[in-house]
Amino acid sequence: MGDRLPAAPWTRRADLQALVAVLGPGQARYVGGAVRDTLLGLAVKDIDLATPIEPRKVMKLLHGAGIKPIPTGIDHGTVTALLPEGPVEITTLRHDVSTDGRRATVAFAKDWREDAARRDFTINALYADPATLEVSDFFGGLDDLAARRIRFIGDARQRIREDHLRILRYFRFQARFGSQPADLDAEQACTELAATLKALSRERIGMETMNLLALPDPAPTVARMAELGVLAVILPEADPAALAALVAVEQRQGISPDPLRRLAALLPADPALAEQVAARFRLSGAQKKRLALAARRDDAAPAPARALAYRLGRDQALDRLLLAGADTASLEHWAIPTFPLKGGDIVARGIKAGPQVAHILRAVEDRWVAEGFPAEARVAELLDEELA
């Protein structure tokens, strides 16, 4: 792993270079995910800058240069610059004054190493000079990145006591970037301090869990979390083996990861429990409904794929099919049709409006679905047969 950042397309952005120039020579470095992912040859989504300049002066400099600043987290040193090619977060160098495992009180700093020391993992504490693309590595992050090793900076237990969510972040980074065997000290620290996760808000736990489940293959990591006693703290109902089975089905059929479906796989087929977990993780109403619907599955083979999609919706049908290990190929590029018969059509045939119309409509629709959604001419025949 080299000590210089490759000249990725994002590093040549004119608006980004103009922003760096506004902050001044030597006053800004790329940091975090953009540096890490570029070194790994991965696409970069978010760009973060670190600077020794205090946030209110950053705001003033941006205003003076005609760049709109947003004080997204100004009390903690973060200002977002709205640039033509996408926003960039600028955070003033910091050190922690006090922490309670959920939030930190920070003071602004001038030293790059001091700022790096308060970060979570060595691979996230890499800085790159925008002018030379030279990487600053204070804690062995380049070697860890080359070895795909996820390692806390300094004392792992201290890092976790500063922010309990780092336990879940460790496993997410392990699932995304890590190799085996994992860092023993990191795992031991997560195991020893797993109970501290109970002090976090349910929303933060839910968000981090869903981020983990959205990765290409989180199953081995989730199984390891279970072995270490971490999973039982946040999701005691989970069955890691069921997640592994779902991921295998997804990969075999070329289905993109869906964290909600994977959460459904981890849970038993119990709608009431699914609703409890959705509430615990502060999921949206739509997510709660979908999770509960997936939990209504049973051991019987699911209905034909297209019939399920028509009755439940595409995502819900995919949930049922994939959780059962069934094939979903018939849904690819298939648009769910609209039933071409209306109640008025039946009334026009001499049937008095009322329950009988609804009964006939439902009977024709059921036969239409069972026959694989034939054309409108066949629907007219089915109606004739029902009326006869």
Side-chain angles (χ1 to χ4, degrees), residues 339-357:
F339 185 42
L341 186 65
K342 306 296 182 187
D345 300 326
I346 299 173
V347 172
R349 297 288 296 272
I351 305 299
K352 185 179 179 180
Q356 188 179 5
V357 171

Side-chain angles (χ1 to χ4, degrees), residues 1 36 39-40 120-126 137-154 173-174 177-179 181 183 186:
M1 186 73 65
R36 178 198 66 223
L39 289 168
L40 289 173
D120 48 12
F121 310 116
T122 61
I123 65 170
N124 291 339
L126 300 171
D137 176 16
F138 302 102
F139 299 103
L142 288 172
D143 288 342
D144 287 339
L145 202 59
R148 295 298 185 109
R149 180 172 51 243
I150 311 303
R151 186 167 58 88
F152 285 97
I153 292 172
F173 276 79
Q174 180 64 27
F177 300 112
S179 62
D183 183 72

Side-chain angles (χ1 to χ4, degrees), residues 247-301:
V247 172
V249 172
E250 289 174 342
Q251 293 178 343
R252 187 167 63 249
Q253 299 191 34
I255 303 295
S256 299
D258 185 309
L260 196 67
R261 182 181 303 128
R262 289 171 167 187
L263 179 59
L266 284 169
L267 299 176
D270 181 341
L273 176 61
E275 291 185 356
Q276 291 173 17
V277 171
R280 188 192 311 165
F281 281 3
R282 299 291 192 265
L283 301 182
S284 69
Q287 289 174 316
K288 180 179 179 180
K289 182 178 179 181
R290 182 178 159 198
L291 196 65
L293 191 60
R296 290 189 176 92
R297 64 191 185 274
D298 53 40
D299 293 333

Side-chain angles (χ1 to χ4, degrees), residues 319-341:
D319 291 345
R320 290 280 184 91
L321 294 162
L322 293 168
L323 288 168
D327 185 73
T328 63
S330 64
L331 295 182
E332 191 173 359
H333 308 306
W334 182 69
I336 298 175
T338 300
F339 185 42
L341 186 65

